Amino acid sequence: MDLLIFEERRLLRYTLLFQLYRDFFTYGYEVCSNIDYEIPNDSRIEIIAALYFIFYKRWIFFNIERDKTVSAFVLGRGIEEVENYFTETGKFVLSNIFEDLLIPVINRE
């Protein structure tokens, strides 16, 4: 398989997890536990596969309803995963703020 496909799937999984995380803290747990989502038909299979993957990792809980909507919410491990990802990404971004602090010495002959 192509490496691009693997990265695309990984990005889709994290995007879904981030959306559930954002909804969880935007609407609150009482509402978020009952939020139903519609899935676009053109990418339905990929999204459901991604949901199954992150459900298997125990990051979310989701259920496909009879009307083909999806009820989903993020679990504690999913919250921790998102926050760890934000922390690591933030450290990477901040580490790139400082540039050229050490200047390499070129052999002078």
Side-chain angles (χ1 to χ4, degrees), residues 49-64:
L51 288 171
Y52 270 111
F53 181 86
I54 57 180
F55 172 76
Y56 178 76
K57 289 284 214 173
R58 304 282 192 259
W59 294 346
I60 66 164
F61 174 79
F62 87 102
N63 188 26
I64 300 174

Side-chain angles (χ1 to χ4, degrees):
M1 277 214 155
D2 191 28
L3 182 60
L4 186 59
I5 292 173
F6 289 129
E7 286 303 315
E8 186 178 302
R9 288 179 183 166
R10 186 170 164 258
L11 181 61
L12 176 62
R13 293 172 192 152
Y14 272 103
T15 302
L16 289 168
L17 186 59
F18 292 155
Q19 180 180 354
L20 292 173
Y21 177 88
R22 186 182 64 241
D23 291 350
F24 180 84
F25 287 107
T26 300
Y27 302 116
Y29 180 77
E30 309 82 37
V31 177
C32 190
S33 63
N34 295 322
I35 291 179
D36 291 334
Y37 296 95
E38 291 182 22
I39 300 176
N41 286 330
D42 57 341
S43 56
R44 186 172 177 77
I45 293 171
E46 292 86 3
I47 292 173
I48 289 176
L51 288 171
Y52 270 111
F53 181 86
I54 57 180
F55 172 76
Y56 178 76
K57 289 284 214 173
R58 304 282 192 259
W59 294 346
I60 66 164
F61 174 79
F62 87 102
N63 188 26
I64 300 174
E65 306 293 339
R66 288 181 182 234
D67 61 354
K68 295 188 178 179
T69 59
V70 172
S71 296
F73 61 92
V74 65
L75 297 173
R77 286 187 68 185
I79 292 171
E80 185 177 26
E81 180 69 19
V82 170
E83 290 174 349
N84 287 341
Y85 187 83
F86 284 151
T87 301
E88 293 302 316
T89 305
K91 288 178 188 174
F92 176 72
V93 169
L94 290 175
S95 70
N96 287 322
I97 290 174
F98 301 105
E99 292 181 355
D100 300 325
L101 295 176
L102 300 173
I103 301 168
V105 176
I106 300 172
N107 287 337
R108 297 179 194 142
E109 293 185 23

